[in-house]
């Protein structure tokens, strides 16, 4: 985890540090257990192909959780992830790079909190945003 | 001449919008938090170690983002939780299902030891025609209340049937 980021350090348009993922089949099985989503298209190639897919695919909710990690790690110990989520627009294959990214779209104060809105997404090796979403993070202030 | 596909949204479906389904109980425990965090690849010790979580000011091991407990499995009810099936007592002509997306809103921190009650309602039905043909998009909201009666999180989910 990086050093604590403060509200004053953030500007609209800033890109936050990205998070690189690449899901092994073992990670997809771990996620099945961790999330309780045991749908076989995520770990059984024969089953996945019987539904018309060419291979197993990464769970949409796992990519969403990656975006949760992206924001949690950026917010640091004194920050707080208040909202995050995404649409599952494109499929990602296992054993392929997933780049989790975020850009600050708005910063403001409300109810005594220093709030930052972000566009967040996962990107496949072709540069396609497979899970576009948004986040809301509260950050500490230096002052 | 193109013809507008007939709507699959019925009065019976419209009547259930906003009506909460059966409550589900979800346990947030040390092992569940750790397993979820490990499967995502989290490195923050507050998701694994009780002392680290308490040193950071939390009541216990913190539930990682997107983890809102594990439903208490009931073998007589089968695989699917009421949250997944809320309001599904209607029939539509589409066979295939996709998860369209999920958004989480946290109103408080969820920690191991919490017992959450989830209640789900359908908030909207929408129809659209995309590359996969005509589809029905069902939006659901699940509200998570902790053992003290406080709403700690809300989840908005979108299911696509086509």
């Amino acid at each position: 985890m990086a050093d604590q980021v403060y509200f004053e350090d953030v500007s609209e348009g800033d890109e936050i540090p990205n998070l690189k993922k690449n899901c092994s089949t073992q990670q997809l099985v771990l996620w099945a257990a961790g999330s309780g989503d045991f749908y076989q298209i995520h770990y059984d190639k024969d089953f996945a192909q019987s539904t018309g897919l060419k291979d197993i695919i990464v769970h949409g909710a796992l990519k969403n959780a990656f975006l949760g990690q992206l924001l949690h790690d950026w917010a640091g110990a004194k920050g707080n992830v208040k909202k995050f989520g995404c649409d599952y627009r494109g499929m990602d294959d296992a054993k392929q790079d997933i780049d989790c990214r975020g850009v600050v779209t708005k910063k403001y104060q409300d109810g005594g909190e220093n709030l930052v809105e972000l566009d967040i997404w996962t990107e496949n090796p072709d540069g396609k945003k497979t899970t576009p979403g948004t986040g809301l993070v509260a950050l500490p202030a230096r002052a | 001449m193109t013809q507008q596909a007939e709507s699959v949204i019925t009065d019976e479906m419209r009547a259930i919008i906003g009506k909460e389904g059966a409550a589900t109980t979800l346990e947030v425990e040390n092992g569940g938090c750790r397993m979820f965090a490990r499967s995502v690849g989290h490195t923050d010790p507050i998701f694994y170690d009780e002392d680290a979580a308490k040193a950071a000011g939390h009541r216990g091991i913190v539930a990682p983002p997107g983890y809102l407990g594990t439903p208490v499995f009931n073998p007589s009810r089968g695989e699917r939780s009421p949250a997944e099936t809320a309001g599904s007592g209607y029939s539509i002509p589409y066979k295939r299902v996709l998860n369209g997306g999920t958004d989480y809103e946290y109103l408080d921190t969820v920690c191991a030891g919490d017992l959450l009650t989830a209640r789900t309602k359908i908030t909207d039905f929408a129809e659209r025609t995309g590359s996969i043909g005509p589809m029905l998009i069902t939006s659901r909201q699940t509200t998570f209340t902790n053992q003290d009666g406080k709403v700690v999180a809300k989840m908005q989910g979108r299911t696509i049937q086509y």
Side-chain angles (χ1 to χ4, degrees), chain B residues 44-60:
Chain B
D44 191 337
I46 65 169
F47 301 132
Y48 301 95
D49 183 74
E50 193 165 344
D51 291 339
K54 285 185 173 169
H58 300 290
R59 289 173 284 123

Side-chain angles (χ1 to χ4, degrees), chain B residues 84-138:
Chain B
E84 291 171 278
T85 55
S88 59
Y90 51 85
S91 66
I92 63 152
Y94 303 135
K95 295 277 180 285
R96 287 167 293 185
V97 184
L98 290 173
N99 190 340
T102 315
D103 291 282
Y104 297 95
E105 176 180 7
Y106 282 90
L107 303 163
D108 205 347
T109 307
V110 178
C111 289
D114 288 350
L115 193 65
L116 305 180
T117 302
R119 291 186 182 83
T120 299
K121 63 187 176 189
I122 288 175
T123 54
D124 187 47
F125 289 111
E127 287 173 288
R128 208 164 65 204
T129 299
S131 57
I132 52 176
M135 53 182 137
L136 173 72
I137 303 158
T138 304

Side-chain angles (χ1 to χ4, degrees), chain A residues 1 21 27 30-31 33-35 38 62 64-66 68-69 72-73 81-88 134, chain B residues 32 35-36 38-44 46-47 65-67 70 79 99-106 158:
Chain A
M1 306 227 332
K21 296 288 185 180
Q27 182 168 16
L30 274 167
W31 171 260
S35 69
F38 296 103
L62 175 55
N64 201 356
F66 289 158
Q69 182 186 3
H72 174 83
D73 288 355
V81 179
K82 298 176 75 70
K83 292 184 187 178
F84 75 99
C86 62
D87 286 330
Y88 308 133
T134 57
Chain B
M35 187 66 204
F36 189 100
R38 178 184 167 201
S39 71
V40 175
H42 274 287
T43 55
D44 191 337
I46 65 169
F47 301 132
Y67 181 60
T70 301
E79 287 285 333
N99 190 340
T102 315
D103 291 282
Y104 297 95
E105 176 180 7
Y106 282 90
R158 296 168 290 285

Side-chain angles (χ1 to χ4, degrees), chain B residues 139-156:
Chain B
S139 298
R140 291 184 175 82
Q141 176 175 282
T142 303
T143 303
F144 298 83
T145 307
N146 72 7
Q147 62 280 6
D148 300 321
K150 186 175 194 310
V151 175
V152 291
K154 291 180 182 176
M155 179 175 82
Q156 319 274 348

